[in-house]
Amino acid sequence: MASANPFNSILKTLEKPQGGEFGKYYSLPALNDPRIDKLPYSIKILLESAIRNCDEFQVKSKDVEKIIDWENTSPKQVEIPFKPARVLLQDFTGVPAVVDLACMRDAMNKLGGDSNKINPLVPVDLVIDHSVQVDVARSENAVQANMELEFQRNKERFAFLKWGSSAFDNMLVVPPGSGIVHQVNLEYLGRVVFNTNGVLYPDSVVGTDSHTTMIDGLGVAGWGVGGIEAEAAMLGQPMSMVLPGVVGFKLLGKLRDGVTATDLVLTVTQMLRKHGVVGKFVEFYGEGMSELSLADRATIANMSPEYGATMGFFPVDHVTLQYLQLTGRSEETIAMIESYLRANKMFVDYNEPQIEKVYSSYLQLKLEEVEPCISGPKRPHDRVPLKEMKADWQACLDNRVGFKGFAIPKESQDKAAKFSFHGTPAELRHGDVVIAAITSCTNTSNPSVMLGAALVAKKACELGLEVKPWIKTSLAPGSGVVTKYLQKSGLQKYLNQLGFHIVGYGCTTCIGNSGDIDESVASAISENDMVAAAVLSGNRNFEGRVHPLTRANYLASPPLVVAYALAGTVDIDFETEPIGTGKDGKKIFFRDIWPSSEEVANVVQSSVLPDMFKATYEAITKGNPMWNQLPVPSGSLYAWSPTSTYIHEPPYFKDMTMSPPGPHGVKDAYCLLNFGDSITTDHISPAGSIHKDSPAAKFLLEHGVDRRDFNSYGSRRGNDEIMARGTFANIRLVNKLLKGEVGPKTIHIPTGEKLSVYDAAMRYKTAGQDTIILAGAEYGSGSSRDWAAKGPMLLGVKAVIAKSFERIHRSNLVGMGIIPLCFKSGEDADTLGLTGHERYIIDLPSCVSEIRPGQDVTVATDSGRSFTCTVRFDTEVELAYFNHGGILQYVIRNLIGAKQ
């Protein structure tokens, strides 16, 4: 049980320079431990959190010691608990989180407790940055038209979240149309330092989107997690994480004239991919840091998932403070942030001698060596220097099919597909651009590249260049601030002239929401097997992601997106070949439209102003007309609609009582599925389209939903009926019970019938029979997904026996009351002769005090074979969750005051 914080002796008062005090804080220097001075800044944030939250139950003194001794413990892959300062949600994952909170309130109410106690215990920022489908582009009213379509499609989800914004304390909901979640986080939500009830501590955040890492550019430790971890964190529960290694990345010098932040980030991404940083922090330092704007840092931090790191961290320094001032944070707040971080030795002052930090490994980059580049055609780390692009493209046409190849026969490489575009003769060649999008969170936060793109457009328009009308052009800024400074600069009109109208604020082309391209263009591509290209300023360009008809997809800076749109092809050498012909018949080259760094800096200086940030984010609290007109139910308990196919009350708390159910073993369970290695969360709970023959499709049709309105599993995460039916519904599922057949089916062992996984599970459940899953290594790998644990629980799965688990998925299973067990080293279902046709008995003690983290248990089968497994409850906190039947039940009983 929790006890008083053993570190209260280092609680100090932070005085204001002019008198009075900012508040109290846990002082790291007061520990007088020389090891702390050498710690990377990112590890100090983990250390402070562990000290402040130490209660000898959820967070222990020994966890604090592990972090202080990071240099020795991090290579050993030790686990630590971490309590982030806040949680960041976007609407897809926000919906199930708010559903669970609403459901917990109902349960609390039925148990006679005060349902209003169910609130996030840490601040939750929920940004509805609904992915904008670019249905309307190249028009002045594109934003309004796209927004109207989004509200039409997502009315139920939006209304539910609007209810949540008023029903729950400690939850801020940012309405649709305000900006993309990561940008809003950077410009508005990021605190850098919290002051809660007079206690100061560093801001840290976990978010339900992989690009939460953008906030690391602001000196706030943040990364992406799955829904269950986010829910646990917002309910005050610790996250279990491996104490990471930290790669020190030294930056030297200054970028050359005309080189952009995008060129830098693509270079850094390639270097870090090659170095290998999966599961690690990357921390940037060195004299080159002072030459990087905050927006440049945020661009690099944003792409952490693309180089594979947990985060790319930039410690707070004077550049950070200047950005906080620019974005409208108050002088008092900025003074508090600087004073606190200096007092705790977490501020970097490049005017003072630097104490050398210890890192797990080291990298170095001279910024003057970075050159203009793009990445593609299929992966973000396949960087191509701009001067080599034409040769690289030719090689891609020749190479066999792969990440850098399309295998186009030599005789077909020069062919032209002729077509008629709205009555005008036109033609397409391999490498011709059909989508050019300034999109996504990576670059649209950065004034230098956004205004750089606008300057390219201005110069092009003045010279008489145009973009071919069949190229789908679009501009999706990260926030409303971008619109303000593009208008202030007088440059938006030139982007409009070239077709780069603002289409909305949110994920667009980068996530596959490019919308349809013109039918005549689509036919020309598909009928002639053309390798058409998309050029986008996003962060992901995996095959099939941007658009089904663009086989070549290149990541580029916003100015380069405009340049390639003007050229109309990626098969061009910008140094020697003209982009087009001007109004006077003169050939125009790349150098004629490319702005200097000084030109860009001047327009940024005069156009990006603090008042823009203040005005944009003041408007958030007022909402917008469509949001404000959304009718929502009142009251702190949600009025569930029995007819809704988007929002439904899940049965997690059915028959719940005040007494914890205690540990449960498994008796005479059938094997629902028998898997091999590397079953991912996508296999367990697909997030994409709903297959027309699936149990989920059948449910929707029975409830009057037309097939064209099925939407995706991702958008229906608030309805357990659909998500349970979507569990193990991946069409690529390989289940050994099917003896080689691939698909989302299994064998119902008692009858031998082949059924969908959902139907088989329901038959077992109706008969009161438990089920288990057998699996190989890395069960639950891939992106963390809450429904990969919630779904199996609703199907009646009581245990998963695997060779090994992905760390977060194992934790999620425990959180939903499912027992994770590991075969002993060298053993698995095959070596033990298990076919999956046996019945299984897992005998656990009936009292939680008799179970130890990581203890061995015997699994017996009705065939007479038995074997030993390790029960993967790894901490006492996890045992407490299991004792209560799951993390949500644990929190409810704790709040009511049940004895543990």
Side-chain angles (χ1 to χ4, degrees):
M1 290 302 298
S3 60
N5 191 324
F7 293 95
N8 281 341
S9 61
I10 62 165
L11 200 55
K12 304 290 183 189
T13 299
L14 185 66
E15 308 284 348
K16 291 183 178 179
Q18 66 275 29
E21 59 182 65
F22 286 116
K24 299 199 177 302
Y25 71 103
Y26 285 90
S27 169
L28 302 186
L31 286 171
N32 291 317
D33 193 320
R35 292 174 297 176
I36 295 174
D37 286 337
K38 291 183 175 181
L39 289 178
Y41 290 97
S42 48
I43 298 299
K44 282 187 178 183
I45 292 175
L46 302 184
L47 174 60
E48 190 284 337
S49 173
I51 288 171
R52 179 168 34 88
N53 291 295
C54 188
D55 62 358
E56 298 298 7
F57 175 57
Q58 291 185 333
V59 183
K60 300 184 177 183
S61 300
K62 66 181 183 184
D63 298 314
V64 172
E65 171 57 26
K66 285 178 191 172
I67 302 171
I68 292 174
D69 200 33
W70 170 84
E71 191 177 347
N72 297 311
T73 52
S74 62
K76 297 173 185 170
Q77 294 285 291
V78 301
E79 294 214 0
I80 59 161
F82 175 57
K83 285 192 170 190
R86 64 187 170 99
V87 173
L88 182 68
L89 306 173
Q90 40 80 268
D91 57 333
F92 268 18
T93 41
V95 168
V98 178
V99 164
D100 288 355
L101 284 174
C103 208
M104 288 171 75
R105 274 203 174 164
D106 289 345
M108 190 88 151
N109 198 44
K110 286 170 189 165
L111 290 168
D114 178 1
S115 61
N116 287 319
K117 279 189 176 177
I118 298 289
N119 279 301
L121 294 179
V122 301
V124 173
D125 300 321
L126 198 163
V127 182
I128 306 179
D129 70 344
H130 63 291
S131 303
V132 179
Q133 186 81 17
V134 187
D135 295 296
V136 182
R138 286 209 172 202
S139 102
E140 292 290 353
N141 69 343
V143 175
Q144 184 66 17
N146 283 319
M147 279 280 287
E148 284 170 5
L149 285 164
E150 288 307 308
F151 266 82
Q152 194 179 311
R153 290 183 184 119
N154 298 293
K155 191 175 178 181
E156 270 188 81
R157 283 189 14 249
F158 291 174
F160 176 65
L161 292 175
K162 188 178 176 185
W163 167 80
S165 69
S166 58
F168 296 103
D169 298 331
N170 231 5
M171 180 183 284
L172 171 69
V173 175
V174 178
S178 305
I180 197 165
V181 57
H182 326 300
Q183 186 64 21
V184 175
N185 194 22
L186 190 74
E187 293 176 355
Y188 179 63
L189 300 172
R191 278 69 152 188
V192 186
V193 172
F194 267 90
N195 186 343
T196 304
N197 300 322
V199 177
L200 307 173
Y201 52 95
D203 187 3
S204 57
V205 60
V206 292
T208 53
D209 187 288
S210 57
H211 292 106
T212 299
T213 54
M214 189 172 190
I215 198 66
D216 300 321
L218 195 67
V220 175
W223 59 87
V225 295
I228 291 177
E229 302 94 285
E231 286 184 40
M234 68 195 221
L235 292 168
Q237 301 305 301
M239 288 170 40
S240 179
M241 63 179 287
V242 172
L243 187 60
V246 183
V247 177
F249 198 122
K250 191 171 190 178
L251 297 170
L252 301 166
K254 183 179 179 180
L255 291 173
R256 286 184 288 138
D257 188 45
V259 175
T260 68
T262 316
D263 302 322
L264 172 59
V265 75
L266 294 177
T267 304
V268 167
T269 298
Q270 187 182 45
M271 287 176 70
L272 287 169
R273 266 283 166 200
K274 187 177 177 184
H275 186 74
V277 291
V278 173
K280 295 175 183 172
F281 290 175
V282 176
E283 186 166 294
F284 294 88
Y285 70 106
E287 64 196 52
M289 291 278 279
S290 58
E291 297 294 337
L292 287 186
S293 71
L294 198 291
D296 291 349
R297 297 173 182 194
T299 304
I300 296 169
N302 180 289
M303 279 189 79
S304 297
E306 281 67 47
Y307 45 80
T310 301
M311 66 175 182
F313 186 75
F314 290 81
V316 176
D317 59 15
H318 286 104
V319 174
T320 323
L321 300 180
Q322 287 161 9
Y323 182 81
L324 293 172
Q325 202 166 22
L326 171 68
T327 49
R329 272 77 161 195
S330 73
E331 292 296 332
E332 168 119 356
T333 298
I334 296 168
M336 176 199 73
I337 289 168
E338 183 175 3
S339 297
Y340 168 79
L341 293 173
R342 282 186 183 277
N344 238 352
K345 295 193 176 177
M346 298 167 89
F347 184 86
V348 183
D349 190 333
Y350 292 105
N351 296 319
E352 297 174 356
Q354 299 298 300
I355 295 175
E356 197 68 31
K357 302 295 178 189
V358 173
Y359 294 110
S360 310
S361 60
Y362 297 82
L363 278 175
Q364 181 172 298
L365 174 64
K366 292 177 181 174
L367 295 176
E368 61 269 20
E369 293 177 358
V370 176
E371 57 184 322
C373 57
I374 64 177
S375 275
K378 302 179 186 184
R379 294 191 301 187
H381 52 281
D382 288 335
R383 187 180 68 90
V384 186
L386 208 56
K387 63 188 180 191
E388 296 172 19
M389 182 55 197
K390 189 177 179 74
D392 193 83
W393 172 254
Q394 292 295 330
C396 285
L397 289 179
D398 291 333
N399 293 346
R400 61 187 180 82
V401 174
F403 292 124
K404 293 289 289 184
F406 299 103
I408 303 298
K410 281 281 186 197
E411 62 274 14
S412 305
Q413 289 182 9
D414 292 327
K415 89 170 167 187
K418 298 188 183 302
F419 66 102
S420 173
F421 182 78
H422 299 261
T424 305
E427 65 177 37
L428 276 180
R429 296 178 182 275
H430 292 300
D432 277 4
V433 175
V434 295
I435 291 175
I438 300 173
T439 178
S440 162
C441 43
T442 318
N443 296 281
T444 56
S445 66
N446 196 324
S448 64
V449 290
M450 295 302 286
L451 288 164
L455 285 170
V456 169
K458 178 177 186 283
K459 290 171 186 278
C461 290
E462 287 170 347
L463 291 167
L465 294 179
E466 295 178 349
V467 174
K468 293 182 177 72
W470 57 80
I471 297 177
K472 187 160 190 176
T473 45
S474 62
L475 167 57
S479 83
V481 177
V482 180
T483 306
K484 286 184 170 63
Y485 65 64
L486 284 172
Q487 288 169 345
K488 163 80 175 164
S489 68
L491 297 173
Q492 179 66 54
K493 63 184 178 186
Y494 300 108
L495 286 164
N496 289 350
Q497 199 174 317
L498 297 183
F500 287 95
H501 294 278
I502 293 173
V503 296
Y505 304 93
C507 293
T508 55
T509 304
C510 185
I511 204 172
N513 288 343
S514 17
D516 295 331
I517 53 179
D518 190 88
E519 207 173 301
S520 62
V521 180
S523 298
I525 295 169
S526 48
E527 288 168 13
N528 295 279
D529 195 27
M530 303 305 293
V531 183
V535 184
L536 61 150
S537 68
N539 43 32
R540 291 184 176 170
N541 56 337
F542 305 119
E543 204 166 6
R545 180 181 171 101
V546 172
H547 192 283
L549 293 177
T550 58
R551 283 153 69 189
N553 301 287
Y554 286 93
L555 303 183
S557 66
L560 277 175
V561 170
V562 177
Y564 274 110
L566 290 162
T569 180
V570 297
D571 185 12
I572 183 172
D573 181 344
F574 278 145
E575 286 191 15
T576 61
E577 297 178 90
I579 276 182
T581 306
K583 53 191 171 190
D584 57 0
K586 185 181 166 189
K587 288 179 178 176
I588 308 297
F589 288 83
F590 179 79
R591 56 184 172 270
D592 300 323
I593 62 169
W594 199 253
S596 69
S597 297
E598 188 180 1
E599 283 178 275
V600 173
N602 287 340
V603 75
V604 169
Q605 186 73 30
S606 60
S607 305
V608 185
L609 306 171
D611 286 350
M612 296 175 177
F613 292 90
K614 286 178 183 169
T616 299
Y617 290 108
E618 278 169 9
I620 280 178
T621 55
K622 297 171 187 168
N624 58 57
M626 282 184 275
W627 174 257
N628 294 339
Q629 287 158 22
L630 266 182
V632 294
S634 58
S636 63
L637 297 177
Y638 187 70
W640 304 98
S641 166
T643 57
S644 173
T645 57
Y646 276 98
I647 309 295
H648 184 260
E649 182 181 14
Y652 303 147
F653 309 110
K654 193 180 175 187
D655 304 325
M656 180 179 167
T657 64
M658 278 298 298
S659 300
H664 64 80
V666 175
K667 189 174 182 184
D668 294 331
Y670 286 100
C671 177
L672 181 64
L673 294 148
N674 184 2
F675 291 131
D677 296 342
S678 300
I679 291 295
T680 70
T681 51
D682 279 301
H683 290 114
I684 305 167
S685 183
S689 58
I690 296 171
H691 194 271
K692 61 184 175 60
D693 298 323
S694 66
K698 184 181 174 188
F699 175 87
L700 288 169
L701 290 170
E702 287 170 354
H703 284 75
V705 179
D706 194 277
R707 188 165 286 163
R708 69 170 180 269
D709 296 323
F710 277 5
N711 218 322
S712 64
Y713 285 115
S715 65
R716 292 188 180 274
R717 283 178 179 170
N719 190 310
D720 59 285
E721 296 276 13
I722 291 160
M723 299 307 289
R725 286 165 173 79
T727 304
F728 300 113
N730 190 305
I731 57 172
R732 300 277 175 248
L733 204 68
V734 178
N735 171 15
K736 292 180 187 175
L737 293 176
L738 293 179
K739 301 191 185 314
E741 186 182 335
V742 176
K745 295 190 180 296
T746 194
I747 300 298
H748 180 249
I749 305 296
T751 62
E753 286 181 74
K754 184 167 72 173
L755 301 170
S756 73
V757 177
Y758 175 79
D759 288 339
M762 289 304 102
R763 197 175 286 188
Y764 286 126
K765 210 171 177 183
T766 304
Q769 295 160 335
D770 288 347
T771 53
I772 64 143
I773 289 169
L774 295 175
E778 298 176 339
Y779 183 76
S781 57
S783 60
S784 176
R785 192 162 291 159
D786 57 339
W787 273 105
K790 289 176 176 176
M793 184 273 287
L794 291 176
L795 294 187
V797 173
K798 301 299 181 190
V800 179
I801 310 174
K803 283 175 74 174
S804 63
F805 291 91
E806 193 281 331
R807 183 178 57 84
I808 292 173
H809 184 64
R810 182 206 60 78
S811 170
N812 287 351
L813 290 174
V814 176
M816 297 313 296
I818 296 174
I819 308 168
L821 301 106
C822 276
F823 291 109
K824 285 294 179 182
S825 179
E827 295 182 348
D828 59 21
D830 291 341
T831 62
L832 292 167
L834 305 173
T835 64
H837 287 261
E838 307 85 358
R839 297 188 77 172
Y840 293 80
I841 299 165
I842 304 167
D843 196 12
L844 279 179
S846 58
C847 180
V848 73
S849 62
E850 295 174 23
I851 307 175
R852 298 182 318 279
Q855 78 176 55
D856 286 350
V857 296
T858 299
V859 180
T861 67
D862 64 342
S863 65
R865 188 182 301 274
S866 64
F867 52 97
T868 302
C869 284
T870 304
V871 181
R872 290 294 311 279
F873 300 127
D874 290 359
T875 64
E876 290 174 32
V877 176
E878 288 187 345
L879 278 171
Y881 296 161
F882 184 62
N883 186 49
H884 282 262
I887 189 170
L888 303 180
Q889 292 85 344
Y890 168 84
V891 170
I892 289 174
R893 293 192 184 98
N894 247 2
L895 286 172
I896 294 178
K899 290 181 181 177
Q900 303 309 313

